[in-house]
Amino acid sequence: NDHWFSRPAHERSRHIQESHFVCGGTLLWVAMCRQAQQPDRALARIAGFFSDWERVTTLAASDTRDMESLINEACLAYMESTDAQGKAKAYRLMQRVHDSFPPTENVETHYNYACIFGLCGDIDLALEHLAPYVDDGQPQYRRRRISRIRSDKDFDSIAKDPRFVRGVKRMARSR
């Protein structure tokens, strides 16, 4: 990426379209640390990576799928770490992504983001991301997806809140 970022700024949009910017290395590192149940090892790399937001947005435009996976992995690493502020850091990152990036087209990414917002206790943003997951134009999967939401432990902290209950019921009924 350093090579592509060192190129003239007017060339950047072409490099984005040609997917020259990638975040796979950092994604792999964070995922491996989580798999090894050592999320703390990934925190410095996560902090360094997300400290340059201009670079993050460029990478997101060029390598959207891997960036969405990296955001999910980074948030989970924060929450699984021994850092007392891990959940707050995960929430701030998700909030920034939500405010800065265009909505994802990937329904599984919507679900993953909803889970993170659910774990952080944000009912409104969890429901906002669950809606496109449930209503993705494939009605044959609606019942299965509603069942997944109702049984997912990531929503335990908000599952009994009346707003969440109403939102999930509304999604289950809509066609």
Side-chain angles (χ1 to χ4, degrees):
N1 289 326
D2 289 338
H3 167 76
W4 299 112
F5 277 107
S6 70
R7 307 291 303 152
H10 70 276
E11 294 179 7
R12 198 160 285 164
S13 63
R14 179 174 59 87
H15 295 305
I16 290 170
Q17 288 176 331
E18 294 172 3
S19 298
H20 289 160
F21 300 104
V22 295
C23 54
T26 301
L27 169 59
L28 183 61
W29 175 257
V30 174
M32 284 174 34
C33 289
R34 284 195 58 241
Q35 281 296 107
Q37 297 181 345
Q38 299 174 349
D40 291 333
R41 289 187 60 203
L43 297 186
R45 187 147 186 181
I46 292 168
F49 185 89
F50 288 104
S51 67
D52 183 348
W53 199 250
E54 181 181 351
R55 185 173 281 220
V56 169
T57 57
T58 300
L59 288 167
S62 182
D63 189 11
T64 304
R65 191 189 74 203
D66 279 351
M67 179 57 77
E68 290 171 347
S69 294
L70 174 57
I71 291 162
N72 185 59
E73 289 288 331
C75 287
L76 293 173
Y78 274 136
M79 289 192 279
E80 294 166 355
S81 73
T82 59
D83 184 341
Q85 295 298 311
K87 187 184 279 190
K89 289 177 181 178
Y91 183 77
R92 282 194 301 274
L93 175 57
M94 281 306 308
Q95 186 70 50
R96 191 161 191 195
V97 167
H98 180 79
D99 293 346
S100 303
F101 291 174
T104 181
E105 296 175 11
N106 183 318
V107 294
E108 282 301 318
T109 298
H110 273 294
Y111 188 80
N112 292 337
Y113 288 2
C115 287
I116 292 167
F117 281 122
L119 287 165
C120 292
D122 191 322
I123 296 165
D124 296 327
L125 289 177
L127 287 170
E128 184 177 322
H129 282 279
L130 285 173
Y133 167 74
V134 171
D135 190 29
D136 75 336
Q138 298 182 36
Q140 69 272 25
Y141 297 121
R142 179 180 300 278
R143 190 175 297 145
R144 185 178 316 151
R145 289 179 176 174
I146 293 295
S147 177
R148 180 181 180 192
I149 293 166
R150 288 180 172 149
S151 65
D152 193 323
K153 297 207 178 296
D154 289 348
F155 301 114
D156 281 357
S157 68
I158 61 173
K160 292 185 172 130
D161 186 288
R163 292 176 298 154
F164 188 77
V165 172
R166 277 192 308 272
V168 173
K169 280 183 182 176
R170 192 176 317 111
M171 285 183 244
R173 284 193 309 263
S174 66
R175 299 249 178 237

